[in-house]
Amino acid sequence: AQKVTQAQTEISVVEKEDVTLDCVYETRDTTYYLFWYKQPPSGELVFLIRRNSFDEQNEISGRYSWNFQKSTSSFNFTITASQVVDSAVYFCAPNYGGSQGNLIFGKGTKLSVKP
Amino acid sequence: EPEVTQTPSHQVTQMGQEVILRCVPISNHLYFYWYRQILGQKVEFLVSFYNNEISEKSEIFDDQFSVERPDGSNFTLKIRSTKLEDSAMYFCASRGTAFAGELFFGEGSRLTVL
């Protein structure tokens, strides 16, 4: 079965701490895409990043960084120097459907950043 | 910046009533989706729509659900006879590219079935 696992249900950190959100996916497809979305308390779903299965180059964007390891089927997300505004639910969402773009969302990790 | 818009933002209905949720996708997008999120749970795929027909649907999307793109701009989700368990946030999304671009989500329509 093709699925995604976010083992961390809730994480609580103090502002300025670094935090890593884990994502492990499972697929037999050779071509797929991996996404991270953020859902702040206001409820909307905000796109953060997309990676394809051929691109294992990790990326840093400001305080965000991503670690894609195809060998371990993991696509982890790190926030450096967390801020209260980072408090949200973070979803890892692979797309196994090729051009149909159907995302399979993980259960999400609720991140609480306390001042 | 282009965005996906959804109406209503919140609808309360009685069990057994029909509900239509409306979405206006980003204008040059070609792929359209409905997802739902029961309070506190994960976001679940309902249906995808391309070229005026359903391209994929989940087990949740049974006969009481239907989608339509009646006029080239709106994309609607109809629930024929609502049940209590249909209470959820319903998200519309659209995507422009043919090969796995990101989905742009609307702000959601909260449906409460009493």
Side-chain angles (χ1 to χ4, degrees), chain A residues 102-103 105, chain B residues 33-36 43-45 90-91 103 105:
Chain A
N102 173 14
L103 301 180
F105 282 79
Chain B
Y33 307 83
W34 283 101
Y35 286 78
R36 80 171 186 190
V43 180
E44 301 175 292
F45 167 74
Y90 288 82
F91 290 101
L103 270 61
F105 285 86

Side-chain angles (χ1 to χ4, degrees), chain A residues 31-91:
Chain A
T31 302
Y32 50 89
Y33 289 78
L34 301 165
F35 296 78
W36 275 95
Y37 279 81
K38 170 182 177 180
Q39 187 174 42
S42 49
E44 72 271 26
L45 289 163
V46 179
F47 166 74
L48 294 175
I49 189 172
R50 174 187 67 229
R51 270 289 174 271
N52 70 52
S53 52
F54 296 101
D55 179 9
E56 290 195 68
Q57 181 179 356
N58 294 312
E59 180 177 333
I60 297 174
S61 175
R63 295 186 298 108
Y64 297 162
S65 61
W66 290 269
N67 187 343
F68 174 36
Q69 298 285 337
K70 198 169 180 179
S71 60
T72 56
S73 297
S74 66
F75 184 42
N76 298 335
F77 170 46
T78 297
I79 302 174
T80 303
S82 58
Q83 300 174 359
V84 173
V85 293
D86 295 327
S87 297
V89 180
Y90 290 82
F91 292 99

Side-chain angles (χ1 to χ4, degrees), chain B residues 11 13-21 36 60 62-66 77-87 90 111-114:
Chain B
Q11 180 158 355
T13 190
Q14 295 291 324
M15 190 169 56
Q17 296 296 305
E18 176 182 283
V19 161
I20 297 176
L21 305 178
R36 80 171 186 190
I60 302 169
D62 61 22
D63 290 345
Q64 72 161 336
F65 290 91
S66 62
L77 174 69
K78 182 194 290 187
I79 309 174
R80 267 180 267 281
S81 177
T82 50
K83 304 177 219 175
L84 295 176
E85 54 264 38
D86 293 327
S87 295
Y90 288 82
L111 175 65
T112 302
V113 182
L114 302 177

Side-chain angles (χ1 to χ4, degrees), chain B residues 3 5 9-10 16 20 27 33 40-41 46-47 50 53 57 61 64-65 74-75 77 81 88-89 100 105 109 111-112:
Chain B
E3 59 181 17
T5 57
S9 56
H10 188 194
I20 297 176
S27 63
Y33 307 83
Q41 299 188 23
L46 292 178
V47 65
Y50 170 69
E53 61 182 20
K57 60 183 180 180
F61 194 88
Q64 72 161 336
F65 290 91
N74 290 287
F75 179 50
L77 174 69
S81 177
M89 180 73 89
F105 285 86
S109 293
L111 175 65
T112 302

